[in-house]
């Protein structure tokens, strides 16, 4: 019986295990190995067996202490992840709760409106905000403010460091990420029995009291999922940032996160330093693991798990 169950489990789990090993475990092992080599310019034959020990990690520590550009990258990563995470999670939660108390037709239209940024190609979406925040008079924001008499000359919003650049990258990525939380929380709300809300309404409870005492406690799992997923996603995201930096919309130092730094160091213009990029990627992965673990502990993930009754 046990052998039969093990065979069934192996049959269903093998494709997923194979995909994880092929696309996650092997690249992770290769990245860790490359971080201990001096590989440059993808010259694999020359550098793959040239092990340099912790040299790349020592370079990162030295850069963190003395390189203002790298310090700006680390600071930008911290600010970007924390503020965008708050916007994505609580923005998505607010949108889901707000549309929950609306009639279905306008609620669906409102949700669809917030999904447009996610449905748009990255280049098109980034181009829209490029022209919106452009630092000259062709920028939509500058043009509107100048016509209203609020400002006399164009403002290079993304080149104002640090908060101008941070505001632009947080705003652009926040609009994309908030729709993900909205979908998950809306799905969770639709699973809650409507009788609970109707009974609370009959007893005179307001929308805020229903949300605080009924809806939010029943959405712990979904809150944990969105928070953890968004944290890990923001820590490694860079496509929108890459375009905004390449187009000089935002300051190159304060518009670059550690994930984008890894990409530019490994694949960017000029001399490419894969050893250093791999070391930074390993540190980024460690930060993600630690952050995910802390999130699960803080939200008491263990208490949400209950043993199934009976046998499967």
């Amino acid at each position: 019986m046990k052998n039969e169950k093990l065979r069934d489990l192996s049959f269903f789990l093998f494709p997923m295990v194979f995909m994880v090993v092929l696309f996650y475990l092997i690249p992770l092992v290769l990245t860790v190995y490359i971080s201990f080599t001096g590989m440059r310019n993808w010259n694999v034959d020359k550098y793959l067996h040239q092990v340099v020990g912790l040299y790349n990690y020592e370079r990162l520590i030295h850069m963190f202490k003395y390189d203002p550009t790298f310090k700006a990258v680390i600071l930008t990563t911290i600010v970007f992840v924390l503020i965008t995470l708050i916007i994505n999670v609580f923005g998505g939660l607010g949108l889901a709760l707000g549309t929950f108390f609306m009639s279905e037709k306008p609620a669906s239209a409102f949700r669809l409106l917030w999904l447009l940024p996610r449905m748009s190609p990255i280049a098109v979406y980034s181009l829209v905000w490029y022209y919106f925040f452009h630092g000259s008079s062709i920028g939509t924001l500058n043009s509107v403010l100048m016509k209203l008499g609020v400002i006399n000359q164009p403002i290079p919003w993304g080149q104002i460091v640090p908060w101008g650049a941070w505001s632009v990258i947080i705003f652009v990525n926040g609009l994309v990420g908030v729709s993900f939380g909205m979908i998950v929380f809306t799905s969770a709300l639709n699973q809650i029995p409507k009788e609970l809300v109707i009974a609370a309404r009959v007893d005179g409870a307001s929308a805020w009291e229903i949300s605080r005492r009924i809806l939010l406690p029943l959405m712990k799992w979904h809150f944990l999922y969105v928070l953890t997923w968004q944290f890990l996603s923001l820590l490694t995201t860079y496509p929108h940032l890459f375009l905004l930096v390449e187009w000089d919309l935002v300051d190159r130092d304060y518009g670059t996160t550690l994930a984008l730094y890894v990409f530019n160091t490994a694949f960017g213009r000029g001399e490419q330093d894969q050893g250093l990029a791999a070391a930074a990627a390993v540190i980024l992965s460690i930060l993600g693991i630690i952050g995910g673990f802390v999130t699960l502990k803080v939200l008491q993930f263990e208490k949400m798990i209950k043993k199934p009754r009976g046998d499967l």
Side-chain angles (χ1 to χ4, degrees):
M1 187 66 181
K2 287 185 177 179
N3 291 335
E4 185 178 347
K5 184 183 288 186
L6 183 62
R7 187 184 60 207
D8 293 341
L9 288 174
S10 302
F11 175 77
F12 287 108
L13 291 178
F14 175 75
M16 179 56 69
V17 172
F18 177 75
M19 298 282 282
V20 170
V21 171
L22 183 62
F23 293 109
Y24 291 93
L25 189 58
I26 293 177
L28 178 62
V29 172
L30 288 175
T31 301
V32 173
Y33 176 74
I34 292 174
S35 71
F36 292 105
T37 69
M39 186 180 292
R40 292 174 179 271
N41 299 318
W42 293 108
N43 195 337
V44 178
D45 295 336
K46 181 178 179 181
Y47 293 109
L48 187 60
H49 302 291
Q50 187 185 84
V51 178
V52 295
L54 297 174
Y55 175 66
N56 289 318
Y57 294 93
E58 292 171 353
R59 289 171 64 195
L60 286 175
I61 294 173
H62 184 271
M63 289 163 60
F64 180 72
K65 287 181 178 178
Y66 304 107
D67 186 350
T69 299
F70 191 68
K71 284 184 179 179
V73 169
I74 299 300
L75 193 57
T76 299
T77 304
I78 295 171
V79 173
F80 171 76
V81 172
L82 290 181
I83 297 181
T84 313
L85 181 65
I86 293 172
I87 293 174
N88 288 354
V89 175
F90 290 98
L93 183 61
L95 287 174
L97 288 172
T99 53
F100 179 76
F101 292 102
M102 297 168 63
S103 57
E104 187 55 34
K105 199 169 182 179
S108 299
F110 193 70
R111 292 185 199 117
L112 181 63
L113 184 67
W114 278 92
L115 284 174
L116 287 178
R118 187 166 288 278
M119 292 189 291
S120 304
I122 292 175
V124 175
Y125 175 74
S126 301
L127 194 61
V128 170
W129 294 112
Y130 170 78
Y131 282 108
F132 184 83
F133 288 111
H134 198 280
S136 70
S137 58
I138 68 169
T140 307
L141 183 58
N142 277 330
S143 177
V144 170
L145 293 178
M146 289 174 70
K147 287 182 179 178
L148 292 175
V150 179
I151 58 176
N152 297 321
Q153 57 185 4
I155 298 176
W157 303 98
Q159 297 296 333
I160 301 174
V161 295
W163 283 104
W166 289 346
S167 299
V168 172
I169 62 175
I170 288 170
F171 181 84
V172 172
N173 283 272
L175 277 182
V176 178
V178 77
S179 60
F180 174 80
M182 180 189 69
I183 293 173
V184 175
F185 290 131
T186 300
S187 175
L189 289 170
N190 288 334
Q191 301 303 315
I192 296 175
K194 293 290 187 298
E195 292 81 2
L196 296 175
V197 179
I198 295 172
R201 282 291 197 194
V202 172
D203 291 338
S206 64
W208 166 246
E209 289 172 330
I210 294 173
S211 300
R212 188 165 62 90
R213 295 182 181 277
I214 298 175
L215 302 180
L216 292 178
L218 294 174
M219 296 166 62
K220 284 183 179 177
W221 267 106
H222 305 83
F223 186 83
L224 173 66
Y225 170 71
V226 173
L227 183 65
T228 307
W229 177 272
Q230 288 287 6
F231 170 74
L232 297 176
S233 175
L234 289 170
L235 202 59
T236 56
T237 190
Y238 65 86
H240 296 97
L241 305 180
F242 172 77
L243 292 176
L244 298 180
V245 170
E246 284 297 303
W247 294 340
D248 289 328
L249 181 68
V250 297
D251 180 78
R252 185 165 291 272
D253 296 338
Y254 288 94
T256 300
T257 60
L258 189 57
L260 180 57
Y261 175 82
V262 170
F263 177 83
N264 286 334
T265 305
F267 303 99
R269 301 171 183 172
E271 186 176 8
Q272 300 166 342
D273 194 334
Q274 285 77 42
L276 183 64
V282 171
I283 291 176
L284 195 62
S285 300
I286 293 172
L287 292 176
I289 294 171
I290 294 173
F293 180 75
V294 169
T295 304
L296 296 178
K297 292 296 290 183
V298 169
L299 295 179
Q300 299 179 328
F301 175 71
E302 300 88 354
K303 292 185 178 179
M304 297 185 192
I305 300 176
K306 295 180 180 178
K307 289 185 178 180
R309 297 177 179 176
D311 195 9
L312 293 176

